[in-house]
Amino acid sequence: MFTFIGGILLLILGYFTYGKYVEKVFGVKERPTPAYTNSDGVDYVPMNTAKNSLIQLLNIAGVGPIFGPILGALYGPVAFIWIVFGCILAGGVHDYLTGMISIRNRGAHLPELAEKFLGRSMRHIVNAFALLLLVLVGTVFVSAPGQLLYDLMGGKVGLAIIVGVIFIYYVLATLLPIDKIIGRFYPFFGMLLVLSAIGIGVGLIVTGQAGNIPELTLENLHPGGLAIFPLLFLTISCGALSGFHATQSPIISRTTKNEGHGRKIFYGMMIAEGIIAMIWAAAAMAMFYDPAAPFGEGLSAVLKEGGPALVVSKVAVMMLGGVGGTIAILGVIILPITSGDTAFRSARMIIADYLKIGQDKVGKRLWIALPMFVISAILLQLDFNILWRYFSWANQSTAVIALFVGAMYLYIGGKNYWISLLPGIFMLLATTTYILEQPIGFGLSTEISQIGAVIISIMLVALFFWQAKRQKECGLSLEEDLTGWDGTMKEGGYDFTCKGL
């Protein structure tokens, strides 16, 4: 219990200390934001900080900070270490920098930022990564809440009907102006999410179940003996570090009124997500604890029976009773739905930016969005576990790219770029080892995978510094108003022939 409570206190302390330091390194300015300079009544709409914060929290907190920590709980309290320090040193930095750099560049999404700061060819690579990730997220976040709702209703309503209703909502949320559905209803959803998480956390302490939470140890307690590195760092992504957030922060960068609000909106909501992850990891460890059996066997049995969704249902009902448990489950259901809709919305915006298609007319938004929903419907026929594995790798690979973008921005600005580069290098090692080793990738031996990951990482980091030196020599502008985004020279702008890659 002390590890659990101490971890939450560290997360809160991290917001007021390291979060403040990251903000100082970045250097906020009093200047008009894209919400005003690019106002279009659809995606660029000024909204207040409280509303932006709750929307950001719901956007980034899908089933990731619940399902991921539940699966990560099998490793034991070492999962707490990754959630706490990953959130403070990596996830918070990642979310803050992507959101703030986007604000400085007219609300640009990650593919455009990658092109500008890492090289022209990176835009195409990151576009592919981002769209793959977002469609996978949207698909996963249809099936997961659909199954939870199906179970909650006792199977009285067909799963296909439930999924169809969720899809209809996704279409509307993707097409309509952001303040019509998302801006209007998300604050209420956010309160339900917060209350459900608080209910589970308080319930752990009141019922005495918190006493079953194991205290700090670096030992790998996974009943299946799965390696901590790299698996834990891909299993628990949302709640510690998640590339999906880099696709969501630019949505809110287009509705933020003032740069000074960024720490609360971007870094602060990452901390809030970390607290949610801590609560669900602790609940998974405590509720199925059996002192007579090896650690994790009880949790593993429930996961084999019905996956993380069944764990959520059992924990909520056992902890809060029938009514309270139902409310908590509804809070969990809202999480993926409110991330799935913005996943498709973000994908629509990225495609529109890439193809330079204006989004003022609903017809233009519709013909971009509909093919994505068709692809997602086809992907729903695949096994959820396979989708989740590919999502995990694509997700953390996107996080690596976003951290390198943040590091490049700080390097060019003559600031402490290590706050972003170091976690980026660590996750580069983890994701490369994973794809080389796992059956969904190259299926190599552990030793060869780790050696290969080190070699690839050294080469890419060397390439980063080579590109950083060129960018600085070329005088790359850090802000949108000096940059020719279409690849041409603008007055006082930047010559893309200097970009190299």
Side-chain angles (χ1 to χ4, degrees), residues 152-195:
L152 189 63
M153 296 185 213
K156 294 179 182 178
V157 179
L159 183 59
I161 294 175
I162 295 172
V163 168
V165 171
I166 294 174
F167 259 125
I168 291 172
Y169 166 74
Y170 280 1
V171 171
L172 292 174
T174 301
L175 296 179
L176 292 176
I178 193 167
D179 59 339
K180 300 304 180 187
I181 291 182
I182 294 175
R184 189 166 296 174
F185 296 110
Y186 268 36
F188 300 103
F189 292 161
M191 292 308 299
L192 181 57
L193 159 65
V194 171
L195 288 174

mmCIF file of all heavy atoms in Angstrom, residues 152-195:
data_model
loop_
_atom_site.group_PDB
_atom_site.id
_atom_site.type_symbol
_atom_site.label_atom_id
_atom_site.label_comp_id
_atom_site.label_asym_id
_atom_site.label_seq_id
_atom_site.Cartn_x
_atom_site.Cartn_y
_atom_site.Cartn_z
ATOM 1 N N LEU A 152 -22.422 -5.610 -19.807
ATOM 2 C CA LEU A 152 -23.184 -4.824 -18.828
ATOM 3 C C LEU A 152 -24.687 -5.017 -19.026
ATOM 4 O O LEU A 152 -25.453 -5.032 -18.054
ATOM 5 C CB LEU A 152 -22.823 -3.346 -18.968
ATOM 6 C CG LEU A 152 -23.355 -2.385 -17.898
ATOM 7 C CD1 LEU A 152 -22.786 -2.737 -16.528
ATOM 8 C CD2 LEU A 152 -23.012 -0.946 -18.249
ATOM 9 N N MET A 153 -25.104 -5.180 -20.281
ATOM 10 C CA MET A 153 -26.529 -5.379 -20.582
ATOM 11 C C MET A 153 -26.939 -6.843 -20.549
ATOM 12 O O MET A 153 -28.069 -7.181 -20.898
ATOM 13 C CB MET A 153 -26.852 -4.803 -21.969
ATOM 14 C CG MET A 153 -26.664 -3.301 -22.074
ATOM 15 S SD MET A 153 -27.197 -2.711 -23.693
ATOM 16 C CE MET A 153 -26.067 -1.366 -23.952
ATOM 17 N N GLY A 154 -26.015 -7.694 -20.147
ATOM 18 C CA GLY A 154 -26.335 -9.113 -20.032
ATOM 19 C C GLY A 154 -26.628 -9.789 -21.351
ATOM 20 O O GLY A 154 -27.353 -10.795 -21.394
ATOM 21 N N GLY A 155 -26.093 -9.246 -22.434
ATOM 22 C CA GLY A 155 -26.297 -9.856 -23.743
ATOM 23 C C GLY A 155 -27.675 -9.635 -24.325
ATOM 24 O O GLY A 155 -28.046 -10.267 -25.321
ATOM 25 N N LYS A 156 -28.464 -8.730 -23.721
ATOM 26 C CA LYS A 156 -29.832 -8.501 -24.205
ATOM 27 C C LYS A 156 -29.859 -7.723 -25.514
ATOM 28 O O LYS A 156 -30.849 -7.755 -26.244
ATOM 29 C CB LYS A 156 -30.630 -7.759 -23.131
ATOM 30 C CG LYS A 156 -30.847 -8.584 -21.869
ATOM 31 C CD LYS A 156 -31.619 -7.798 -20.820
ATOM 32 C CE LYS A 156 -31.792 -8.630 -19.550
ATOM 33 N NZ LYS A 156 -32.501 -7.880 -18.480
ATOM 34 N N VAL A 157 -28.804 -6.984 -25.775
ATOM 35 C CA VAL A 157 -28.674 -6.262 -27.046
ATOM 36 C C VAL A 157 -27.489 -6.850 -27.796
ATOM 37 O O VAL A 157 -26.414 -7.058 -27.215
ATOM 38 C CB VAL A 157 -28.450 -4.750 -26.807
ATOM 39 C CG1 VAL A 157 -28.290 -4.025 -28.136
ATOM 40 C CG2 VAL A 157 -29.602 -4.159 -26.015
ATOM 41 N N GLY A 158 -27.691 -7.138 -29.061
ATOM 42 C CA GLY A 158 -26.639 -7.767 -29.846
ATOM 43 C C GLY A 158 -25.376 -6.932 -29.928
ATOM 44 O O GLY A 158 -25.438 -5.695 -29.995
ATOM 45 N N LEU A 159 -24.215 -7.608 -29.947
ATOM 46 C CA LEU A 159 -22.937 -6.916 -30.014
ATOM 47 C C LEU A 159 -22.815 -6.108 -31.298
ATOM 48 O O LEU A 159 -22.279 -4.991 -31.297
ATOM 49 C CB LEU A 159 -21.792 -7.933 -29.911
ATOM 50 C CG LEU A 159 -20.370 -7.372 -29.901
ATOM 51 C CD1 LEU A 159 -20.180 -6.412 -28.728
ATOM 52 C CD2 LEU A 159 -19.342 -8.500 -29.832
ATOM 53 N N ALA A 160 -23.343 -6.651 -32.409
ATOM 54 C CA ALA A 160 -23.265 -5.949 -33.693
ATOM 55 C C ALA A 160 -24.038 -4.632 -33.648
ATOM 56 O O ALA A 160 -23.600 -3.621 -34.214
ATOM 57 C CB ALA A 160 -23.807 -6.835 -34.815
ATOM 58 N N ILE A 161 -25.166 -4.623 -32.955
ATOM 59 C CA ILE A 161 -25.972 -3.398 -32.840
ATOM 60 C C ILE A 161 -25.217 -2.353 -32.015
ATOM 61 O O ILE A 161 -25.170 -1.170 -32.366
ATOM 62 C CB ILE A 161 -27.341 -3.711 -32.192
ATOM 63 C CG1 ILE A 161 -28.168 -4.612 -33.112
ATOM 64 C CG2 ILE A 161 -28.099 -2.422 -31.890
ATOM 65 C CD1 ILE A 161 -29.472 -5.079 -32.518
ATOM 66 N N ILE A 162 -24.613 -2.806 -30.900
ATOM 67 C CA ILE A 162 -23.861 -1.892 -30.041
ATOM 68 C C ILE A 162 -22.698 -1.269 -30.806
ATOM 69 O O ILE A 162 -22.470 -0.060 -30.754
ATOM 70 C CB ILE A 162 -23.350 -2.633 -28.788
ATOM 71 C CG1 ILE A 162 -24.520 -3.082 -27.922
ATOM 72 C CG2 ILE A 162 -22.399 -1.743 -27.980
ATOM 73 C CD1 ILE A 162 -24.123 -3.980 -26.760
ATOM 74 N N VAL A 163 -21.954 -2.111 -31.535
ATOM 75 C CA VAL A 163 -20.825 -1.620 -32.330
ATOM 76 C C VAL A 163 -21.307 -0.633 -33.388
ATOM 77 O O VAL A 163 -20.670 0.400 -33.640
ATOM 78 C CB VAL A 163 -20.069 -2.796 -32.975
ATOM 79 C CG1 VAL A 163 -19.089 -2.298 -34.026
ATOM 80 C CG2 VAL A 163 -19.333 -3.606 -31.913
ATOM 81 N N GLY A 164 -22.459 -0.931 -34.006
ATOM 82 C CA GLY A 164 -23.019 -0.035 -35.017
ATOM 83 C C GLY A 164 -23.361 1.334 -34.456
ATOM 84 O O GLY A 164 -23.090 2.363 -35.085
ATOM 85 N N VAL A 165 -23.924 1.359 -33.248
ATOM 86 C CA VAL A 165 -24.268 2.630 -32.599
ATOM 87 C C VAL A 165 -23.004 3.432 -32.290
ATOM 88 O O VAL A 165 -22.965 4.658 -32.485
ATOM 89 C CB VAL A 165 -25.072 2.376 -31.304
ATOM 90 C CG1 VAL A 165 -25.233 3.672 -30.512
ATOM 91 C CG2 VAL A 165 -26.439 1.796 -31.638
ATOM 92 N N ILE A 166 -21.955 2.733 -31.809
ATOM 93 C CA ILE A 166 -20.684 3.414 -31.517
ATOM 94 C C ILE A 166 -20.100 4.004 -32.797
ATOM 95 O O ILE A 166 -19.610 5.140 -32.813
ATOM 96 C CB ILE A 166 -19.681 2.446 -30.858
ATOM 97 C CG1 ILE A 166 -20.185 2.019 -29.477
ATOM 98 C CG2 ILE A 166 -18.308 3.103 -30.723
ATOM 99 C CD1 ILE A 166 -19.333 0.951 -28.814
ATOM 100 N N PHE A 167 -20.176 3.254 -33.888
ATOM 101 C CA PHE A 167 -19.668 3.743 -35.169
ATOM 102 C C PHE A 167 -20.417 5.007 -35.616
ATOM 103 O O PHE A 167 -19.817 5.960 -36.124
ATOM 104 C CB PHE A 167 -19.790 2.661 -36.242
ATOM 105 C CG PHE A 167 -18.496 1.950 -36.522
ATOM 106 C CD1 PHE A 167 -18.407 0.570 -36.425
ATOM 107 C CD2 PHE A 167 -17.368 2.646 -36.896
ATOM 108 C CE1 PHE A 167 -17.213 -0.095 -36.678
ATOM 109 C CE2 PHE A 167 -16.163 2.003 -37.160
ATOM 110 C CZ PHE A 167 -16.086 0.626 -37.043
ATOM 111 N N ILE A 168 -21.746 5.006 -35.443
ATOM 112 C CA ILE A 168 -22.535 6.179 -35.835
ATOM 113 C C ILE A 168 -22.100 7.405 -35.036
ATOM 114 O O ILE A 168 -21.934 8.504 -35.575
ATOM 115 C CB ILE A 168 -24.039 5.906 -35.626
ATOM 116 C CG1 ILE A 168 -24.524 4.859 -36.634
ATOM 117 C CG2 ILE A 168 -24.850 7.201 -35.768
ATOM 118 C CD1 ILE A 168 -25.931 4.370 -36.389
ATOM 119 N N TYR A 169 -21.878 7.188 -33.724
ATOM 120 C CA TYR A 169 -21.389 8.293 -32.891
ATOM 121 C C TYR A 169 -20.023 8.777 -33.377
ATOM 122 O O TYR A 169 -19.770 9.982 -33.453
ATOM 123 C CB TYR A 169 -21.304 7.858 -31.430
ATOM 124 C CG TYR A 169 -20.495 8.826 -30.590
ATOM 125 C CD1 TYR A 169 -21.020 10.058 -30.230
ATOM 126 C CD2 TYR A 169 -19.186 8.527 -30.230
ATOM 127 C CE1 TYR A 169 -20.272 10.963 -29.496
ATOM 128 C CE2 TYR A 169 -18.422 9.422 -29.495
ATOM 129 C CZ TYR A 169 -18.970 10.642 -29.132
ATOM 130 O OH TYR A 169 -18.220 11.540 -28.423
ATOM 131 N N TYR A 170 -19.146 7.836 -33.729
ATOM 132 C CA TYR A 170 -17.814 8.199 -34.204
ATOM 133 C C TYR A 170 -17.888 9.045 -35.473
ATOM 134 O O TYR A 170 -17.125 10.008 -35.641
ATOM 135 C CB TYR A 170 -16.983 6.943 -34.468
ATOM 136 C CG TYR A 170 -16.381 6.301 -33.239
ATOM 137 C CD1 TYR A 170 -16.601 6.837 -31.979
ATOM 138 C CD2 TYR A 170 -15.597 5.162 -33.338
ATOM 139 C CE1 TYR A 170 -16.047 6.254 -30.857
ATOM 140 C CE2 TYR A 170 -15.039 4.568 -32.215
ATOM 141 C CZ TYR A 170 -15.266 5.113 -30.976
ATOM 142 O OH TYR A 170 -14.722 4.537 -29.865
ATOM 143 N N VAL A 171 -18.789 8.694 -36.369
ATOM 144 C CA VAL A 171 -18.943 9.457 -37.612
ATOM 145 C C VAL A 171 -19.345 10.896 -37.304
ATOM 146 O O VAL A 171 -18.771 11.857 -37.829
ATOM 147 C CB VAL A 171 -19.981 8.790 -38.532
ATOM 148 C CG1 VAL A 171 -20.299 9.692 -39.726
ATOM 149 C CG2 VAL A 171 -19.479 7.437 -39.029
ATOM 150 N N LEU A 172 -20.320 11.058 -36.397
ATOM 151 C CA LEU A 172 -20.782 12.393 -36.045
ATOM 152 C C LEU A 172 -19.682 13.207 -35.363
ATOM 153 O O LEU A 172 -19.453 14.377 -35.699
ATOM 154 C CB LEU A 172 -22.002 12.296 -35.122
ATOM 155 C CG LEU A 172 -23.283 11.737 -35.758
ATOM 156 C CD1 LEU A 172 -24.354 11.552 -34.697
ATOM 157 C CD2 LEU A 172 -23.779 12.651 -36.870
ATOM 158 N N ALA A 173 -18.990 12.584 -34.398
ATOM 159 C CA ALA A 173 -17.935 13.296 -33.658
ATOM 160 C C ALA A 173 -16.763 13.644 -34.556
ATOM 161 O O ALA A 173 -16.064 14.629 -34.314
ATOM 162 C CB ALA A 173 -17.462 12.449 -32.485
ATOM 163 N N THR A 174 -16.539 12.845 -35.606
ATOM 164 C CA THR A 174 -15.439 13.102 -36.531
ATOM 165 C C THR A 174 -15.760 14.250 -37.484
ATOM 166 O O THR A 174 -14.880 15.027 -37.842
ATOM 167 C CB THR A 174 -15.122 11.827 -37.357
ATOM 168 O OG1 THR A 174 -14.781 10.773 -36.464
ATOM 169 C CG2 THR A 174 -13.979 12.067 -38.320
ATOM 170 N N LEU A 175 -17.022 14.376 -37.851
ATOM 171 C CA LEU A 175 -17.409 15.335 -38.881
ATOM 172 C C LEU A 175 -17.840 16.697 -38.337
ATOM 173 O O LEU A 175 -17.562 17.726 -38.947
ATOM 174 C CB LEU A 175 -18.544 14.749 -39.730
ATOM 175 C CG LEU A 175 -18.223 13.492 -40.540
ATOM 176 C CD1 LEU A 175 -19.449 13.032 -41.299
ATOM 177 C CD2 LEU A 175 -17.067 13.738 -41.495
ATOM 178 N N LEU A 176 -18.513 16.703 -37.194
ATOM 179 C CA LEU A 176 -19.073 17.951 -36.689
ATOM 180 C C LEU A 176 -17.997 18.851 -36.073
ATOM 181 O O LEU A 176 -16.961 18.353 -35.635
ATOM 182 C CB LEU A 176 -20.163 17.654 -35.651
ATOM 183 C CG LEU A 176 -21.441 17.000 -36.189
ATOM 184 C CD1 LEU A 176 -22.392 16.685 -35.047
ATOM 185 C CD2 LEU A 176 -22.121 17.884 -37.217
ATOM 186 N N PRO A 177 -18.217 20.165 -36.018
ATOM 187 C CA PRO A 177 -17.272 21.066 -35.346
ATOM 188 C C PRO A 177 -16.986 20.604 -33.924
ATOM 189 O O PRO A 177 -17.865 20.053 -33.252
ATOM 190 C CB PRO A 177 -18.009 22.414 -35.362
ATOM 191 C CG PRO A 177 -18.882 22.340 -36.582
ATOM 192 C CD PRO A 177 -19.333 20.899 -36.656
ATOM 193 N N ILE A 178 -15.767 20.860 -33.452
ATOM 194 C CA ILE A 178 -15.306 20.290 -32.186
ATOM 195 C C ILE A 178 -16.132 20.752 -30.986
ATOM 196 O O ILE A 178 -16.249 20.033 -29.986
ATOM 197 C CB ILE A 178 -13.814 20.620 -31.973
ATOM 198 C CG1 ILE A 178 -13.238 19.773 -30.836
ATOM 199 C CG2 ILE A 178 -13.603 22.107 -31.713
ATOM 200 C CD1 ILE A 178 -11.730 19.793 -30.748
ATOM 201 N N ASP A 179 -16.737 21.936 -31.070
ATOM 202 C CA ASP A 179 -17.501 22.437 -29.928
ATOM 203 C C ASP A 179 -18.950 21.958 -29.911
ATOM 204 O O ASP A 179 -19.684 22.251 -28.970
ATOM 205 C CB ASP A 179 -17.458 23.971 -29.896
ATOM 206 C CG ASP A 179 -18.029 24.601 -31.156
ATOM 207 O OD1 ASP A 179 -18.082 23.914 -32.198
ATOM 208 O OD2 ASP A 179 -18.403 25.789 -31.102
ATOM 209 N N LYS A 180 -19.372 21.178 -30.919
ATOM 210 C CA LYS A 180 -20.761 20.734 -30.988
ATOM 211 C C LYS A 180 -21.021 19.475 -30.164
ATOM 212 O O LYS A 180 -22.031 19.374 -29.466
ATOM 213 C CB LYS A 180 -21.167 20.485 -32.450
ATOM 214 C CG LYS A 180 -21.064 21.711 -33.339
ATOM 215 C CD LYS A 180 -21.872 22.870 -32.783
ATOM 216 C CE LYS A 180 -21.762 24.097 -33.690
ATOM 217 N NZ LYS A 180 -22.408 25.282 -33.095
ATOM 218 N N ILE A 181 -20.129 18.501 -30.244
ATOM 219 C CA ILE A 181 -20.283 17.276 -29.459
ATOM 220 C C ILE A 181 -19.169 17.165 -28.434
ATOM 221 O O ILE A 181 -19.417 17.081 -27.224
ATOM 222 C CB ILE A 181 -20.300 16.024 -30.363
ATOM 223 C CG1 ILE A 181 -21.581 15.982 -31.199
ATOM 224 C CG2 ILE A 181 -20.196 14.756 -29.509
ATOM 225 C CD1 ILE A 181 -21.696 14.758 -32.073
ATOM 226 N N ILE A 182 -17.922 17.183 -28.913
ATOM 227 C CA ILE A 182 -16.770 16.974 -28.028
ATOM 228 C C ILE A 182 -16.702 18.067 -26.962
ATOM 229 O O ILE A 182 -16.607 17.777 -25.767
ATOM 230 C CB ILE A 182 -15.474 16.917 -28.855
ATOM 231 C CG1 ILE A 182 -15.479 15.670 -29.744
ATOM 232 C CG2 ILE A 182 -14.253 16.926 -27.949
ATOM 233 C CD1 ILE A 182 -14.318 15.571 -30.698
ATOM 234 N N GLY A 183 -16.769 19.328 -27.380
ATOM 235 C CA GLY A 183 -16.675 20.422 -26.423
ATOM 236 C C GLY A 183 -17.854 20.500 -25.483
ATOM 237 O O GLY A 183 -17.743 20.998 -24.363
ATOM 238 N N ARG A 184 -19.017 19.993 -25.912
ATOM 239 C CA ARG A 184 -20.233 20.114 -25.108
ATOM 240 C C ARG A 184 -20.393 18.991 -24.088
ATOM 241 O O ARG A 184 -20.807 19.207 -22.954
ATOM 242 C CB ARG A 184 -21.446 20.145 -26.052
ATOM 243 C CG ARG A 184 -22.761 20.481 -25.374
ATOM 244 C CD ARG A 184 -23.810 20.831 -26.405
ATOM 245 N NE ARG A 184 -23.460 22.045 -27.140
ATOM 246 C CZ ARG A 184 -24.158 22.505 -28.176
ATOM 247 N NH1 ARG A 184 -25.213 21.853 -28.602
ATOM 248 N NH2 ARG A 184 -23.776 23.605 -28.787
ATOM 249 N N PHE A 185 -20.077 17.765 -24.495
ATOM 250 C CA PHE A 185 -20.361 16.622 -23.629
ATOM 251 C C PHE A 185 -19.143 16.075 -22.882
ATOM 252 O O PHE A 185 -19.276 15.427 -21.846
ATOM 253 C CB PHE A 185 -20.987 15.484 -24.454
ATOM 254 C CG PHE A 185 -22.321 15.847 -25.041
ATOM 255 C CD1 PHE A 185 -22.462 16.040 -26.403
ATOM 256 C CD2 PHE A 185 -23.439 16.007 -24.231
ATOM 257 C CE1 PHE A 185 -23.682 16.372 -26.958
ATOM 258 C CE2 PHE A 185 -24.668 16.345 -24.772
ATOM 259 C CZ PHE A 185 -24.797 16.531 -26.145
ATOM 260 N N TYR A 186 -17.938 16.334 -23.402
ATOM 261 C CA TYR A 186 -16.745 15.757 -22.779
ATOM 262 C C TYR A 186 -16.528 16.181 -21.327
ATOM 263 O O TYR A 186 -16.075 15.372 -20.521
ATOM 264 C CB TYR A 186 -15.507 16.107 -23.619
ATOM 265 C CG TYR A 186 -15.162 15.077 -24.663
ATOM 266 C CD1 TYR A 186 -16.164 14.394 -25.347
ATOM 267 C CD2 TYR A 186 -13.846 14.778 -24.979
ATOM 268 C CE1 TYR A 186 -15.854 13.466 -26.320
ATOM 269 C CE2 TYR A 186 -13.519 13.845 -25.954
ATOM 270 C CZ TYR A 186 -14.530 13.200 -26.613
ATOM 271 O OH TYR A 186 -14.217 12.272 -27.557
ATOM 272 N N PRO A 187 -16.806 17.430 -20.963
ATOM 273 C CA PRO A 187 -16.610 17.774 -19.549
ATOM 274 C C PRO A 187 -17.424 16.889 -18.602
ATOM 275 O O PRO A 187 -16.943 16.524 -17.529
ATOM 276 C CB PRO A 187 -17.063 19.242 -19.486
ATOM 277 C CG PRO A 187 -16.778 19.764 -20.858
ATOM 278 C CD PRO A 187 -17.107 18.628 -21.775
ATOM 279 N N PHE A 188 -18.638 16.522 -19.000
ATOM 280 C CA PHE A 188 -19.458 15.636 -18.157
ATOM 281 C C PHE A 188 -18.877 14.226 -18.146
ATOM 282 O O PHE A 188 -18.838 13.566 -17.106
ATOM 283 C CB PHE A 188 -20.908 15.618 -18.671
ATOM 284 C CG PHE A 188 -21.563 16.964 -18.670
ATOM 285 C CD1 PHE A 188 -21.716 17.679 -19.845
ATOM 286 C CD2 PHE A 188 -22.009 17.538 -17.485
ATOM 287 C CE1 PHE A 188 -22.310 18.928 -19.857
ATOM 288 C CE2 PHE A 188 -22.609 18.789 -17.473
ATOM 289 C CZ PHE A 188 -22.762 19.493 -18.665
ATOM 290 N N PHE A 189 -18.447 13.767 -19.318
ATOM 291 C CA PHE A 189 -17.796 12.456 -19.386
ATOM 292 C C PHE A 189 -16.544 12.444 -18.516
ATOM 293 O O PHE A 189 -16.237 11.448 -17.852
ATOM 294 C CB PHE A 189 -17.421 12.128 -20.835
ATOM 295 C CG PHE A 189 -18.592 11.899 -21.747
ATOM 296 C CD1 PHE A 189 -18.439 11.975 -23.129
ATOM 297 C CD2 PHE A 189 -19.851 11.609 -21.243
ATOM 298 C CE1 PHE A 189 -19.509 11.761 -23.983
ATOM 299 C CE2 PHE A 189 -20.933 11.402 -22.096
ATOM 300 C CZ PHE A 189 -20.766 11.484 -23.463
ATOM 301 N N GLY A 190 -15.822 13.556 -18.543
ATOM 302 C CA GLY A 190 -14.588 13.648 -17.766
ATOM 303 C C GLY A 190 -14.842 13.506 -16.280
ATOM 304 O O GLY A 190 -14.101 12.830 -15.568
ATOM 305 N N MET A 191 -15.910 14.126 -15.804
ATOM 306 C CA MET A 191 -16.245 14.017 -14.390
ATOM 307 C C MET A 191 -16.605 12.588 -14.022
ATOM 308 O O MET A 191 -16.245 12.086 -12.951
ATOM 309 C CB MET A 191 -17.399 14.953 -14.055
ATOM 310 C CG MET A 191 -17.040 16.431 -14.136
ATOM 311 S SD MET A 191 -15.556 16.863 -13.172
ATOM 312 C CE MET A 191 -16.091 16.406 -11.519
ATOM 313 N N LEU A 192 -17.331 11.880 -14.900
ATOM 314 C CA LEU A 192 -17.675 10.486 -14.647
ATOM 315 C C LEU A 192 -16.424 9.630 -14.592
ATOM 316 O O LEU A 192 -16.282 8.747 -13.729
ATOM 317 C CB LEU A 192 -18.620 9.975 -15.736
ATOM 318 C CG LEU A 192 -19.108 8.524 -15.606
ATOM 319 C CD1 LEU A 192 -19.813 8.308 -14.274
ATOM 320 C CD2 LEU A 192 -20.042 8.183 -16.761
ATOM 321 N N LEU A 193 -15.486 9.890 -15.510
ATOM 322 C CA LEU A 193 -14.207 9.168 -15.517
ATOM 323 C C LEU A 193 -13.455 9.378 -14.209
ATOM 324 O O LEU A 193 -12.986 8.423 -13.576
ATOM 325 C CB LEU A 193 -13.357 9.656 -16.690
ATOM 326 C CG LEU A 193 -11.842 9.420 -16.603
ATOM 327 C CD1 LEU A 193 -11.537 7.945 -16.630
ATOM 328 C CD2 LEU A 193 -11.131 10.148 -17.732
ATOM 329 N N VAL A 194 -13.335 10.637 -13.787
ATOM 330 C CA VAL A 194 -12.591 10.952 -12.566
ATOM 331 C C VAL A 194 -13.254 10.317 -11.348
ATOM 332 O O VAL A 194 -12.589 9.734 -10.492
ATOM 333 C CB VAL A 194 -12.474 12.487 -12.396
ATOM 334 C CG1 VAL A 194 -11.898 12.828 -11.028
ATOM 335 C CG2 VAL A 194 -11.607 13.077 -13.500
ATOM 336 N N LEU A 195 -14.573 10.412 -11.283
ATOM 337 C CA LEU A 195 -15.295 9.852 -10.139
ATOM 338 C C LEU A 195 -15.162 8.336 -10.066
ATOM 339 O O LEU A 195 -15.030 7.764 -8.976
ATOM 340 C CB LEU A 195 -16.776 10.245 -10.219
ATOM 341 C CG LEU A 195 -17.095 11.723 -9.929
ATOM 342 C CD1 LEU A 195 -18.573 12.010 -10.176
ATOM 343 C CD2 LEU A 195 -16.719 12.072 -8.493
#
